[in-house]
Amino acid sequence: RKVTRSDFFLDSLWSGGLKSSGSMFGIVAKQDINVTSFEFHSTMKADDGFMFLDIYAINGTFIGNERSREKWSKVASNVMIAGSGRGEATRIPDGAMPKLLVKNGESKGIYITMKFREELRYTAVDQAMGEVFSENTDLQILVGSGNAYEGEGFGEVYPRRMFNGRVIYEKIPHGGNLLVKEDSSVGTLQPQAPAVKVPTRVYLETLWNGGIKNSGSK
């Protein structure tokens, strides 16, 4: 899975195994960052028609708030996107959501949910919800849940599930300028360029290899 832009990134795994309409997970910043977008895993391809996604965020932990719609902020609505297929990253278009500032030490819950389809992949894991699943020097991704779409998307919860995807973000150094990366075409971290005023896209992945499905993907 090659990077599709000049982005920093960190993989966790891509193993899939289960699917439903959506998935929740947590992020914790280890330095100030702006989350700019996400990539996710779906077996759907362009020939299968479009997917429509909503994205929600909550300050602090998502645990205990999985079905409390009123506590979440919707940051993107009805994002129309064609899938890239099994084992590939499907990117939410740049600009589809506002940048989410997460300061050093802060945490946010993220919920990505698909309307009308149950084609978002995630994986059952041994770690408890809220434990660190993947991390780099900038942020952590925390174990979350699979989620069924009911009402506005806050339906049945399947705990200890790990979202298959990437968090894409900008690094904000103490000097205030964003960092830029020159080349990530081979999918590995490259040396960091000096601070300049061009935004850096960086992302951290969970997993992508799918494998099992049903209407609830427990």
Side-chain angles (χ1 to χ4, degrees):
R1 286 165 294 277
K2 293 184 178 180
V3 183
T4 55
R5 307 284 197 282
S6 294
D7 294 336
F8 289 94
F9 71 96
L10 175 66
D11 282 2
S12 59
L13 60 156
W14 304 66
S15 51
L18 301 170
K19 71 173 187 175
S20 188
S21 298
S23 185
M24 293 182 183
F25 57 96
I27 59 174
V28 178
K30 298 165 73 173
Q31 73 155 60
D32 294 354
I33 61 172
N34 285 320
V35 176
T36 59
S37 190
F38 300 95
E39 293 186 358
F40 64 96
H41 182 200
S42 175
T43 59
M44 290 188 62
K45 297 182 178 181
D47 291 345
D48 298 320
F50 289 106
M51 297 173 280
F52 294 86
L53 274 66
D54 289 342
I55 304 172
Y56 296 83
I58 187 172
N59 291 329
T61 183
F62 65 95
I63 298 173
N65 296 308
E66 294 92 339
R67 305 199 70 169
S68 300
R69 165 65 185 90
E70 70 280 1
K71 295 183 180 180
W72 293 74
S73 297
K74 183 183 283 188
V75 298
S77 180
N78 290 316
V79 179
M80 185 174 71
I81 186 169
S84 298
R86 183 183 300 275
E88 300 296 330
T90 296
R91 185 169 181 132
I92 294 170
D94 294 340
M97 53 175 276
K99 295 178 181 180
L100 301 178
L101 173 64
V102 191
K103 294 185 177 181
N104 184 17
E106 291 183 346
S107 61
K108 283 187 183 293
I110 304 296
Y111 179 32
I112 299 175
T113 184
M114 189 180 297
K115 295 181 173 181
F116 315 122
R117 296 180 185 267
E118 297 178 335
E119 293 293 343
L120 192 140
R121 296 279 170 165
Y122 51 79
T123 302
V125 295
D126 293 331
Q127 297 96 316
M129 290 174 61
E131 289 189 6
V132 176
F133 185 82
S134 186
E135 66 181 315
N136 60 15
T137 57
D138 304 315
L139 80 157
Q140 300 171 329
I141 290 180
L142 310 182
V143 174
S145 60
N147 303 79
Y149 193 96
E150 299 171 14
E152 290 191 75
F154 291 77
E156 187 171 355
V157 178
Y158 311 114
R160 300 173 71 152
R161 305 293 190 255
M162 191 65 251
F163 168 74
N164 286 200
R166 295 174 179 148
V167 180
I168 303 168
Y169 61 95
E170 299 170 342
K171 299 166 69 170
I172 309 174
H174 294 301
N177 291 330
L178 299 174
L179 298 179
V180 66
K181 180 175 180 303
E182 298 298 334
D183 181 15
S184 59
S185 60
V186 297
T188 57
L189 287 171
Q190 303 295 324
Q192 177 64 61
V196 294
K197 293 184 179 181
V198 181
T200 294
R201 294 188 178 91
V202 189
Y203 59 81
L204 172 63
E205 295 185 2
T206 59
L207 49 141
W208 297 84
N209 52 330
I212 300 174
K213 69 176 184 177
N214 64 27
S215 60
S217 288
K218 301 174 183 176

